[in-house]
Amino acid sequence: MSLLRTLIIAIGPMLGTSVALAQNAPAAKPEAKATQAKSAAQPTGGRDWTQIDTNKDGYVSPEEMEVWLKANPGPAK
């Protein structure tokens, strides 16, 4: 019985700590949303967002970005 009591005393606080830490875990991030296209008057950082936004809804969807990146590959690494 002494060994069991020693194990409970040794392992108990570790289990309690892991449960407490798990309760404070941050919420999962929401799925990536479409990025709003920047107007021509705003700085674009070298990328013309209006060319990427093919359906002209004011947002660049992941699909639109994927198509643009395939058509405009960056420099070879």
Side-chain angles (χ1 to χ4, degrees):
M1 190 74 160
S2 178
L3 178 61
L4 179 58
R5 183 175 176 187
T6 304
L7 286 174
I8 291 172
I9 291 171
I11 297 174
M14 289 187 281
L15 294 175
T17 303
S18 64
V19 171
L21 291 175
Q23 291 175 354
N24 294 329
K29 293 182 179 179
E31 291 185 37
K33 295 184 179 182
T35 305
Q36 187 169 4
K38 296 183 178 186
S39 69
Q42 294 177 338
T44 60
R47 185 170 287 158
D48 185 3
W49 294 101
T50 58
Q51 288 182 349
I52 301 170
D53 182 22
T54 56
N55 62 359
K56 307 301 180 206
D57 64 350
Y59 294 92
V60 176
S61 69
E63 293 80 16
E64 289 171 324
M65 182 59 78
E66 184 177 342
V67 169
W68 187 86
L69 289 172
K70 284 181 182 177
N72 300 284
K77 294 182 181 180

